[in-house]
Amino acid sequence: MNRLQEKLKQYHVILGSQSPRRKQLLQGLDIEFTVQVKDTEESYPSEMQLHMVPEFIALNKFKAFIPQLTERDLVITADTIVLHNQTILHKPIDTDDAVRILQTLSGSSHTVITGVCYGTKQKYLTFSAQSQVHFAHLTQADIDYYVTTYMPMDKAGAYGVQEWIGYIGIQGIEGSYFNVMGLPVQMLYQKLLEYEE
């Protein structure tokens, strides 16, 4: 049994996300958990500093679980944004929007921020992680191929780092690669080890 398995054995761990990437990443920590999803509004105050948005939304996702939680439930929620030139690039609304977003990211750098909320109904905490992603120039053919062959519609910034576009387009990442995928698992591992109610 590893340290985190030992730490969490008293809890029923819930991942509050429908993202298959987050599920895959949390599985990588070798802990047992179930997936549950609550519909929550992903809005935020217009005056909020943009780097604070992911933690704010992750916290709201967590709070949606509180009424149903037992004493032994430990929930993990997360939200990821792509920040480019002080603008949040959301999930694309359609194919044309996905193409436009990727054209915007081509040949430039952007910041991926994932906010995480974790804990029980007695005590919950938040943190966030930032990664800088540097994209090479993408041709229109590259973008069209990716948008029609893969599924950018459910991804902030219209791309998945673990997919073809990441293989051919990303020149470098400063920070956690897994954070760009949607969950900064190394930081989460440490935070969960340190968690005390």
Side-chain angles (χ1 to χ4, degrees), residues 15 18 46 62 68 86 96 108 111 126 135:
L15 173 62
Q18 60 191 356
S46 58
F62 184 96
Q68 72 170 58
Q86 288 305 301
D96 290 343
S108 67
T111 305
T126 63
F135 255 109

Side-chain angles (χ1 to χ4, degrees), residues 26-173:
L26 195 59
Q27 285 172 332
L29 295 183
D30 288 351
I31 60 174
E32 290 187 13
F33 63 93
T34 60
V35 174
Q36 295 181 33
V37 181
K38 298 278 188 187
D39 281 331
T40 50
E41 183 64 48
E42 295 195 9
S43 60
Y44 52 90
S46 58
E47 69 277 8
M48 178 171 280
Q49 293 182 307
L50 296 182
H51 72 274
M52 299 172 65
V53 168
E55 274 187 66
F56 178 83
I57 295 176
L59 177 59
N60 281 347
K61 289 179 179 180
F62 184 96
K63 287 179 176 177
F65 281 90
I66 290 177
Q68 72 170 58
L69 296 182
T70 70
E71 300 293 315
R72 292 296 91 200
D73 289 332
L74 186 145
V75 179
I76 300 165
T77 57
D79 186 72
T80 301
I81 64 166
V82 170
L83 199 56
H84 182 266
N85 291 338
Q86 288 305 301
T87 301
I88 294 178
L89 301 180
H90 297 281
K91 296 173 184 176
I93 57 174
D94 55 29
T95 301
D96 290 343
D97 194 34
V99 169
R100 180 192 62 77
I101 291 170
L102 290 171
Q103 288 171 337
T104 300
L105 296 179
S106 173
S108 67
S109 299
H110 60 273
T111 305
V112 177
I113 308 173
T114 299
V116 179
C117 186
Y118 65 100
T120 65
K121 67 179 181 179
Q122 288 81 28
K123 179 185 176 183
Y124 44 92
L125 303 165
T126 63
F127 70 92
S128 61
Q130 296 193 19
S131 304
Q132 302 295 322
V133 181
H134 308 287
F135 255 109
H137 176 73
L138 302 170
T139 68
Q140 192 58 48
D142 293 336
I143 292 171
D144 291 343
Y145 173 78
Y146 177 70
V147 169
T148 56
T149 308
Y150 290 85
M151 293 186 295
M153 309 309 290
D154 69 334
K155 299 175 179 71
Y159 79 93
V161 65
Q162 73 284 0
E163 295 177 340
W164 180 84
I165 199 87
Y167 284 63
I168 66 107
I170 292 179
Q171 293 177 315
I173 296 173

